[in-house]
Amino acid sequence: MSVISVGQAVVLGAVEGVTEFLPVSSTGHLKIVEGLMNIPVDDDAVVGFSAVIQVGAIAAVLVYFFKDIVRIVSAWGRGLVHKEERYHHDYKFAWWVIAATVPIVVVGLAAKPLIEGPLASLWVVAGSLIAGSGVMWAADQMGRHKRGEDDTSFKDAMLVGSSQILALLFPGFSRSGATMSTALILDLDRVAATRLSFFLGIPALTGAGIYELKDALGAGVGAAPLAAGTAVSFVVAYASIAWLLKFVAKHSFNAFVIYRIVVGLLLFGLLATGTLSS
């Protein structure tokens, strides 16, 4: 019998879809909702399920940015064959995304016991939500928002890609929040920072989902809940991406900062009173 029902999977898929690309921590929100539904947040099957349904959100990115991805991959393919094509920004950008994914893969494999054990605690989530809010606010204030997507460099990609490790080790910090904040500190504008966060998330999150699939199925999550959660995640994430890109074009990240602090303090209160178990 599955440790997660189809109904619970639908709810978690919706939470994943809404929060994966917003800088509010999808992992943190999933753990909070799992706790409220009395689902053990540190269970191997549950951890695996959370990683697998991220693939639905990543599929939404692939569909939403299909033309951009085809352009970049095509440029990469041409560059592999024709030397003169290797000066094209899209060719170089493809290699940057690949290189920038290496740090999170290495840390993810090396720190897997910690990530799925002590660092999965809701106390860590609550603290990371608030700490990440401070970083995000500071980055938005510090950044000069003067560089666009075409101005990104290898250094930008590596620094932004490596910042994903913060969210990996401290669920609640937010992968999107960490990458967007780093990009803002590097003076990218908000739209460029958001799009770079999307592109860098594709290989990391897809790889995590595929890696965890066998563990999720083998540890006690049925195929039906996995399929339902992933499908819902895709639909909701697509709408979330479209909304976020329009939002950041005209607004700062302050609304997300305030929301994260409120959720973090609320979570601390629920844990302190015993309403939620860590």
Side-chain angles (χ1 to χ4, degrees):
M1 185 169 179
S2 177
V3 297
I4 297 176
S5 69
V6 172
Q8 290 173 326
V10 168
V11 172
L12 293 173
V15 172
E16 164 64 23
V18 170
T19 60
E20 179 58 57
F21 300 110
L22 301 185
V24 296
S25 176
S26 61
T27 302
H29 279 74
L30 283 173
K31 289 184 180 298
I32 291 170
V33 175
E34 287 164 359
L36 291 172
M37 293 193 295
N38 294 317
I39 297 173
V41 299
D42 57 350
D43 185 288
D44 288 344
V46 176
V47 173
F49 173 84
S50 299
V52 171
I53 63 172
Q54 287 178 337
V55 176
I58 289 299
V61 173
L62 295 176
V63 173
Y64 193 91
F65 292 106
F66 182 73
K67 291 183 179 179
D68 295 297
I69 293 170
V70 169
R71 189 190 75 244
I72 293 168
V73 173
S74 297
W76 182 70
R78 291 194 303 271
L80 292 177
V81 178
H82 304 291
K83 183 177 181 180
E84 62 274 13
E85 295 288 339
R86 297 172 190 171
Y87 298 99
H88 197 286
H89 183 271
D90 286 340
Y91 170 79
K92 292 185 284 187
F93 184 77
W95 277 117
W96 297 346
V97 170
I98 293 170
T101 303
V102 173
I104 192 173
V105 171
V106 172
V107 174
L109 293 174
K112 193 171 187 288
L114 285 175
I115 295 167
E116 297 180 355
L119 294 178
S121 168
L122 288 177
W123 288 104
V124 175
V125 171
S128 299
L129 276 166
I130 295 174
S133 298
V135 173
M136 189 180 303
W137 179 84
D140 211 8
Q141 301 303 308
M142 291 168 56
R144 290 178 286 178
H145 315 293
K146 66 177 184 178
R147 300 169 58 209
E149 188 174 346
D150 290 339
D151 299 319
T152 55
S153 65
F154 175 69
K155 176 184 175 182
D156 296 328
M158 289 303 297
L159 289 173
V160 174
S162 297
S163 70
Q164 296 177 110
I165 294 171
L166 286 171
L168 185 67
L169 296 178
F170 306 106
F173 204 96
S174 169
R175 190 201 65 82
S176 295
T179 52
M180 291 178 191
S181 295
T182 303
L184 290 175
I185 292 172
L186 294 170
D187 292 332
L188 290 176
D189 63 48
R190 294 188 185 97
V191 173
T194 302
R195 284 173 59 87
L196 181 58
S197 174
F198 286 147
F199 289 126
L200 288 173
I202 292 173
L205 296 180
T206 301
I210 294 172
Y211 180 80
E212 294 286 356
L213 179 58
K214 66 181 189 305
D215 293 334
L217 287 170
V221 177
L226 277 173
T230 303
V232 171
S233 172
F234 168 81
V235 173
V236 177
Y238 189 92
S240 179
I241 292 167
W243 176 84
L244 180 61
L245 285 171
K246 291 180 181 178
F247 180 85
V248 298
K250 298 180 179 179
H251 301 85
S252 72
F253 288 127
N254 288 344
F256 296 118
V257 170
I258 294 170
Y259 173 80
R260 289 170 56 103
I261 293 173
V262 170
V263 173
L265 292 175
L266 177 61
L267 182 54
F268 269 129
L270 291 173
L271 291 170
T273 58
T275 305
L276 273 182
S277 171
S278 63

